[in-house]
Amino acid sequence: MTDQAVTASADPVHAFIGDTVKQNDVVLFMKGTPDAPRCGFSSLAVQILDHVGANFVGVDVLQDEALREGVKTFSDWPTIPQLYVKGEFVGGSDIVREMFNAGELQTLMADKGVPLGEVEA
């Protein structure tokens, strides 16, 4: 068993995060929901994902303190939101914005086989 597998099985929050990112192509751990983001950074990430037409799951970390802290230790990233594509941690709001502006986010999703819908005008 790998160290990460041991850690995930010993920590139910990490197990939940691991299962969530494995079971969904695109996951955004965020403050609030995609329909009602509760911080500007989460709102920006949702707008970008909506703009590129990515079907994603939003997980509201404000519903559970253990999840809010656990997602930070799972990725070793100190801020929220956090984007995962095909199980791989991509980054937070600033990285997502920079990747989108450079066309890299769309390329990453295409390379990973994530279907993108219609881009908004």
Side-chain angles (χ1 to χ4, degrees), residues 36-109:
R38 296 200 35 212
C39 84
F41 297 110
S42 291
S43 178
L44 176 63
V46 167
Q47 288 174 34
I48 290 169
L49 292 171
D50 284 347
H51 185 78
V52 301
N55 185 20
F56 70 98
V57 172
V59 178
D60 184 1
V61 300
L62 295 178
Q63 299 301 312
D64 185 336
E65 178 67 30
L67 177 59
R68 184 165 50 251
E69 294 308 313
V71 75
K72 296 174 187 179
T73 57
F74 184 85
S75 63
D76 197 26
W77 190 260
T79 60
I80 296 166
Q82 295 185 10
L83 179 65
Y84 286 81
V85 176
K86 291 282 191 169
E88 178 184 325
F89 176 65
V90 175
S93 181
D94 290 344
I95 290 172
V96 170
R97 183 185 66 233
E98 290 169 15
M99 289 179 71
F100 168 72
N101 287 338
E104 296 170 2
L105 184 63
Q106 301 87 317
T107 300
L108 171 71
M109 291 195 182

